[in-house]
Amino acid sequence: MYILLCTFCMNGLYGTTGFYPKFLFDINISIIVTIILDQNLHEPMYILLCSFCMNGLYGTTGFYPKFLLDLLMDNVSIITVFTLSGLNEIMNHRTALFYLTLLCYSVILLVNISIIAIIILDKNLHEPMYILLCTFCMNGLYGTTGIYPKFLADLLSSVHIISYSGCLVQALVLYSFACSDLSILAVMAYDRYLAICQPLQYHSIMTKQRLVQLVCFSWITPFCIFSVNVFLTARLRLCSSNINRLFCVNWVIVKLACSPADTHINSIIAYITIILYVLHGFLIIWSYMCLIKTCLRSVENRRKFMQTCVPHLTSLISFLVAILFDLMHMRFGSKDTPQILQNFAAIEFLVIPPIMNPLIYGFKLMKIRNRILNCVYFKMNDKL
């Protein structure tokens, strides 16, 4: 009787735990969005309330995902930790690699935070194109922060392990970062299409409310999709704990399953996800076909294209080359490929796009470039 009572209580805990995080998330998000969108609420008291809710999301997000994964994984997998073996062949150079990685991460933080701060502080840059660039840089910080700190800690340690739930969370961050990047690039292409091809309707279509909806779609949709992927992975019984990578990747974890038959649903969801984001790619291609067709008719439109679309196109190409290189190697690469080349393929899209994107936009977009030059000029004058 008491065992049944215990089971009943545990089931109640499991059920309510699945409800309360979403309830807390929804109510906090609702308050934050309401305060941001309503200019009448831009007063100290409401701004402090907004920051209070954001801090609540920050705190609960650090606890609930792992707790839910722990509940889901109970009695599913006997593996509690993974071994990351991607660093085994380069440990002789780990000190130099640590300082190089630390420098790279510091540059990523510097250039992305600088662009974000410039756009937030300068009211002249509160336009859709610059706000989308700001969210693009924020997403870069989100993705790299999910990987670099753990990678730096591994370089200083002789044992490279990660907990099961921590590995799944890292995989979720990695995939949601990559797909959010593609979603934001698609929205930026749509924004440029409206600005150049339909300039008279631009402001009526790309309203502040529409912009918030598109940004939320770019962030929340990938997170929800890959949450489903990760939860499907968490139900699998695994027969190995060795991941031959620098960090956790969902598909690599799936391939460790004892029974291939159990991974069919994972493959189906994965291919649906791939199709969804291939459609994002087609949207970008369609936008640029229309842009190029329009720009051929006017010198003014060609100037706009060179000034605003070339940075976007450069970011898109660098991102796609980096991500496709890693995906092709992960899906079809040979196991005999040297470990150093595997590591380069894995880490490339976490190094090149987060550094290059802010630099490309910072030097190419005139308003941001002028703002940066003004900041440097004033600092030099202050020193003199």
Side-chain angles (χ1 to χ4, degrees):
M1 180 180 69
Y2 297 109
I3 293 173
L4 289 173
L5 176 61
C6 179
T7 304
F8 183 69
C9 293
M10 289 176 67
N11 187 60
L13 175 64
Y14 179 79
T16 53
T17 304
F19 165 75
Y20 284 114
K22 186 179 186 305
F23 174 73
L24 292 171
F25 181 82
D26 288 347
I27 195 168
N28 278 280
I29 286 290
S30 299
I31 292 173
I32 291 167
V33 171
T34 301
I35 293 173
I36 289 174
L37 293 180
D38 192 341
Q39 293 185 350
N40 296 324
L41 300 179
H42 290 182
E43 299 177 5
M45 180 178 71
Y46 298 108
I47 293 173
L48 289 172
L49 173 60
C50 180
S51 64
F52 189 60
C53 293
M54 291 174 73
N55 190 58
L57 287 177
Y58 166 74
T60 52
T61 303
F63 167 75
Y64 278 112
K66 183 180 183 303
F67 184 52
L68 288 169
L69 285 171
D70 287 341
L71 284 174
L72 186 64
M73 292 184 303
D74 190 30
N75 295 324
V76 174
S77 178
I78 59 174
I79 293 173
T80 57
V81 294
F82 286 109
T83 301
L84 301 173
S85 59
L87 282 172
N88 290 349
E89 294 186 11
I90 55 175
M91 289 308 290
N92 293 333
H93 310 286
R94 65 178 181 175
T95 303
L97 191 57
F98 171 81
Y99 286 113
L100 183 62
T101 305
L102 182 61
L103 175 63
C104 180
Y105 186 45
S106 300
V107 171
I108 289 172
L109 292 176
L110 175 64
V111 294
N112 282 278
I113 290 174
S114 298
I115 295 293
I116 292 168
I118 286 170
I119 293 172
I120 290 175
L121 295 176
D122 193 340
K123 291 184 178 180
N124 295 323
L125 299 178
H126 291 184
E127 300 174 7
M129 180 177 70
Y130 297 105
I131 292 172
L132 289 171
L133 173 58
C134 183
T135 62
F136 196 45
C137 293
M138 287 180 177
N139 191 58
L141 291 178
Y142 160 73
T144 52
T145 303
I147 302 298
Y148 276 91
K150 176 68 173 69
F151 182 52
L152 287 168
D154 285 340
L155 287 171
L156 294 177
S157 174
S158 57
V159 180
H160 311 130
I161 60 172
I162 185 170
S163 68
Y164 191 107
S165 54
C167 189
L168 292 179
V169 170
Q170 191 179 64
L172 172 62
V173 170
L174 187 69
Y175 277 79
S176 58
F177 151 71
C179 288
S180 290
D181 252 11
L182 188 57
S183 294
I184 295 169
L185 285 167
V187 174
M188 292 171 82
Y190 176 65
D191 173 73
R192 291 300 83 206
Y193 162 76
L194 291 176
I196 295 176
C197 299
Q198 299 184 25
L200 298 179
Q201 291 83 26
Y202 177 73
H203 292 290
S204 61
I205 296 174
M206 191 60 76
T207 60
K208 186 178 293 185
Q209 186 176 3
R210 177 68 57 81
L211 182 63
V212 170
Q213 291 172 349
L214 290 171
V215 170
C216 289
F217 168 80
S218 301
W219 273 343
I220 295 173
T221 304
F223 187 83
C224 292
I225 289 172
F226 286 104
S227 293
V228 173
N229 278 270
V230 168
F231 275 106
L232 288 173
T233 302
R235 70 186 174 81
L236 300 174
R237 183 174 293 277
L238 307 180
C239 287
S240 175
S241 62
N242 183 63
I243 296 178
N244 192 28
R245 304 272 294 192
L246 299 174
F247 43 80
C248 295
V249 178
N250 187 59
W251 185 251
V252 175
I253 302 171
V254 170
K255 290 196 291 186
L256 300 177
C258 297
S259 174
D262 294 337
T263 66
H264 288 330
I265 184 66
N266 297 75
S267 298
I268 293 170
I269 297 297
Y271 284 120
I272 291 173
T273 305
I274 290 170
I275 292 170
L276 175 63
Y277 285 96
V278 166
L279 292 176
H280 281 57
F282 282 123
L283 173 63
I284 295 171
I285 293 170
W286 173 80
S287 298
Y288 270 97
M289 288 175 64
C290 295
L291 280 168
I292 293 169
K293 185 178 179 181
T294 304
C295 290
L296 291 175
R297 303 172 186 166
S298 166
V299 175
E300 177 65 20
N301 285 338
R302 281 200 293 272
R303 187 188 64 80
K304 286 183 181 180
F305 181 87
M306 293 300 296
Q307 185 178 1
T308 62
C309 296
V310 168
H312 175 264
L313 197 57
T314 307
S315 298
L316 176 65
I317 292 171
S318 66
F319 171 77
L320 288 179
V321 169
I323 201 75
L324 287 174
F325 188 60
D326 182 42
L327 283 175
M328 292 301 102
H329 175 265
M330 186 169 57
R331 292 273 179 165
F332 308 110
S334 171
K335 293 182 179 179
D336 299 328
T337 305
Q339 187 64 51
I340 294 177
L341 184 58
Q342 292 184 41
N343 291 342
F344 176 77
I347 204 75
E348 184 188 6
F349 80 101
L350 290 165
V351 176
I352 297 175
I355 292 177
M356 292 301 297
N357 292 337
L359 294 177
I360 291 167
Y361 282 100
F363 285 112
K364 188 64 181 174
L365 296 180
M366 186 179 297
K367 288 185 178 180
I368 293 180
R369 184 174 68 246
N370 291 341
R371 190 74 176 86
I372 293 172
L373 293 175
N374 286 338
C375 290
V376 174
Y377 176 74
F378 284 127
K379 284 185 178 180
M380 290 178 66
N381 282 346
D382 289 341
K383 289 182 179 180
L384 295 174

